[in-house]
Amino acid sequence: MLTRKQHELLMFIHERLKETGVPPSFDEMKDALDLRSKSGIHRLITALEERGFIRRLPNRARAMEVVRLPDSMTPGLAAPRGKGFAPSVIEGSLGKAQTPPPPRAAEPEMPAGISTIPVMGRIAAGVPIEAIQTHSHTISVPQDLIGRGEHFALEVRGDSMIEAGILDGDTVLIRRTDSAESGDIVVALVDDEEATLKRLRKKGASIALEAANPAYETRIFGPGRVRVQGKLVALFRQY
């Protein structure tokens, strides 16, 4: 499963190789995805390489090849050119025979007072990683614990919040919100490309993302660079 930015970059590289036989430069990729820095492109390329979608060729500048495309990719589908492209297609059903969907298995009823919360992938409590929006599985949570609002869960990777009692491997319960008070522990999306779990501090028009581990420095961002995705409600740990 790729994030939206990873998918966009993969298709941009694929189309450029088809057209010219030469991979795009980091500047071209940065402009095409409307990112602020080349470091974001580097992280996306590394993620694509780790997932087996591209391969960088040694001893050749800018040399890379597309090894495979996503399984859900429609054959022959071309990515639109220009900034802000979204390589996805919704096929119409006009003139096509309709195949009835298979019957859904009856879901077991949850006990009274229990809610099912989707686990939406992993969140970095350390060096920020790309945001992962993938519904991997669900967990059962007492309704008294979550209260009102929409909730989701994330698996923690990293040790930057250990002094706040959040350890690598924990599952955190997040209430979805786009606002937070100074001092709240939040899921923060930086530059629309990387997500992290940190304590938020407001410093005038700037936002500081503060770790709970002296080994990590506080990162300060200017206006508009950080978007709050949710606030920490609870965490779960297996022993």
Side-chain angles (χ1 to χ4, degrees):
M1 178 63 68
L2 298 178
T3 68
R4 179 176 59 85
K5 287 292 187 183
Q6 290 166 1
H7 192 282
E8 289 181 358
L9 181 59
L10 176 64
M11 296 314 305
F12 180 68
I13 296 171
H14 174 64
E15 288 303 313
R16 180 58 64 87
L17 285 171
K18 282 176 54 180
E19 292 174 356
T20 68
V22 179
S25 68
F26 269 50
D27 281 325
E28 291 170 333
M29 289 185 278
K30 177 174 69 70
D31 291 342
L33 270 67
D34 200 22
L35 298 181
R36 291 182 173 87
S37 67
K38 295 180 185 179
S39 62
I41 293 296
H42 177 74
R43 284 190 292 270
L44 293 173
I45 288 176
T46 299
L48 289 172
E49 187 174 31
E50 290 175 347
R51 289 161 173 78
F53 287 95
I54 65 173
R55 177 166 53 237
R56 283 184 277 194
L57 305 178
N59 303 321
R60 294 174 58 190
R62 284 176 47 182
M64 68 180 70
E65 60 182 353
V66 175
V67 179
R68 66 186 180 97
L69 296 176
D71 294 336
S72 60
M73 182 70 184
T74 303
L77 177 64
R81 298 172 179 82
K83 293 186 178 181
F85 63 82
S88 60
V89 164
I90 300 175
E91 293 189 356
S93 59
L94 184 63
K96 296 183 180 179
Q98 299 298 308
T99 302
R104 295 181 61 184
E107 296 184 358
E109 292 188 6
M110 295 300 298
I114 299 294
S115 293
T116 299
I117 303 296
V119 178
M120 302 298 291
R122 296 173 177 173
I123 185 72
V127 178
I129 57 175
E130 285 87 10
I132 301 178
Q133 296 293 325
T134 304
H135 182 176
S136 57
H137 59 287
T138 60
I139 57 174
S140 299
V141 177
Q143 291 178 354
D144 292 343
L145 187 62
I146 61 176
R148 295 182 178 180
E150 183 182 356
H151 294 73
F152 61 96
L154 294 165
E155 296 175 354
V156 174
R157 291 292 177 266
D159 61 358
S160 72
M161 298 301 289
I162 56 175
E163 292 188 4
I166 303 171
L167 308 182
D168 182 58
D170 286 348
T171 298
V172 289
L173 180 64
I174 305 296
R175 178 168 60 84
R176 193 182 299 276
T177 181
D178 58 4
S179 62
E181 299 297 326
S182 187
D184 288 340
I185 296 177
V186 303
V187 173
L189 187 63
V190 180
D191 294 335
D192 287 329
E193 61 179 282
E194 57 183 25
T196 188
L197 186 72
K198 292 290 185 293
R199 193 178 300 280
L200 180 142
R201 301 287 186 189
K202 296 181 179 180
K203 298 179 179 293
S206 299
I207 294 293
L209 298 179
E210 180 182 277
N213 182 337
Y216 293 83
E217 64 179 9
T218 297
R219 302 176 69 197
I220 300 177
F221 301 91
R225 293 190 60 192
V226 176
R227 289 196 294 123
V228 173
Q229 304 286 283
K231 293 169 56 174
L232 177 69
V233 173
L235 67 83
F236 306 94
R237 183 175 301 151
Q238 293 184 339
Y239 292 94

